[in-house]
């Protein structure tokens, strides 16, 4: 089961659109147990995000998106690390920032470049990571 509540606002000023939202989500799914190891998959998430999109010239758009999610897992993870049984409550702090530039080549064809940076800091080190994602997309709608 997943329970969700949120609020979103959007404001438009000429060629600029700003949106912001907050979400609270509680998951109650079956968790993963393998032998003596246990991995929780039922977080309670609080997420804030915002975006700014700008149509700055004919057929051109730019955007910036950012979000931050704080996740607290219901039960502690139990796992073996270097022959030691470890019990730790998983808490993740995930943030992402992306920028994009899009050009409409026609009513159906567009070209977009985006760059994104993701970072997850977790109380369980195996879930911590940072990554950069770059995307060049040619889209055709038919």
């Amino acid at each position: 089961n997943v329970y969700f509540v949120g609020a979103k606002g959007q404001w438009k000023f000429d060629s600029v659109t700003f949106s912001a939202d907050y979400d609270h989500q509680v998951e109650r799914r079956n968790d993963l147990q393998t032998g003596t190891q246990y991995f929780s998959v039922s977080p309670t998430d609080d997420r804030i995000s915002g975006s700014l999109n700008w149509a700055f010239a004919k057929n051109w758009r730019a955007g910036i998106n950012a979000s931050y999610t704080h996740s607290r897992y219901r039960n502690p993870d139990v796992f073996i690390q270097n022959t030691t049984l470890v019990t730790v409550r998983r808490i993740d702090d995930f943030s992402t920032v992306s920028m994009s530039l899009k050009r409409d080549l026609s009513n159906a064809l567009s070209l977009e470049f985006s760059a994104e940076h993701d970072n997850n800091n977790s109380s369980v080190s195996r879930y911590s990571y940072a990554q950069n994602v770059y995307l060049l997309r040619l889209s055709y709608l038919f």
Side-chain angles (χ1 to χ4, degrees):
N1 296 338
V2 177
Y3 306 95
F4 172 87
V5 65
K8 182 173 186 167
Q10 187 174 53
W11 300 267
K12 186 166 176 125
F13 308 97
D14 295 322
S15 61
V16 175
T17 303
F18 174 73
S19 65
D21 63 280
Y22 167 77
D23 303 324
H24 178 77
Q25 180 173 308
V26 178
E27 293 186 25
R28 292 293 181 250
R29 303 184 330 218
N30 293 329
D31 295 327
L32 305 175
Q33 184 159 0
T34 307
T36 58
Q37 299 187 88
Y38 176 88
F39 302 97
S40 179
V41 293
S42 295
T44 297
D45 295 329
D46 288 294
R47 179 178 180 266
I48 57 172
S49 64
S51 67
L52 182 68
N53 293 293
W54 178 33
F56 63 91
K58 184 178 180 182
N59 300 325
W60 285 91
R61 288 181 298 233
I64 298 173
N65 301 295
S67 69
Y68 168 77
T69 304
H70 179 75
S71 302
R72 296 168 312 284
Y73 287 76
R74 182 176 55 180
N75 297 315
D77 284 22
V78 179
F79 56 92
I80 298 171
Q81 184 175 15
N82 300 328
T83 69
T84 303
L85 194 63
V86 176
T87 301
V88 63
R89 182 168 185 212
R90 182 176 169 191
I91 298 173
D92 290 354
D93 289 307
F94 177 76
S95 59
T96 183
V97 175
S98 67
M99 295 181 284
S100 65
L101 182 63
K102 185 173 184 179
R103 167 87 159 104
D104 293 329
L105 304 172
S106 71
N107 285 339
L109 186 65
S110 65
L111 182 64
E112 179 180 7
F113 173 75
S114 65
E116 176 178 310
H117 176 73
D118 302 324
N119 188 57
N120 191 55
N121 291 318
S122 179
S123 60
V124 180
S125 61
R126 69 175 66 181
Y127 299 113
S128 292
Y129 68 92
Q131 69 180 4
N132 294 314
V133 179
Y134 303 98
L135 176 68
L136 181 60
R137 177 184 355 223
L138 181 64
S139 299
Y140 182 77
L141 300 174
F142 44 126

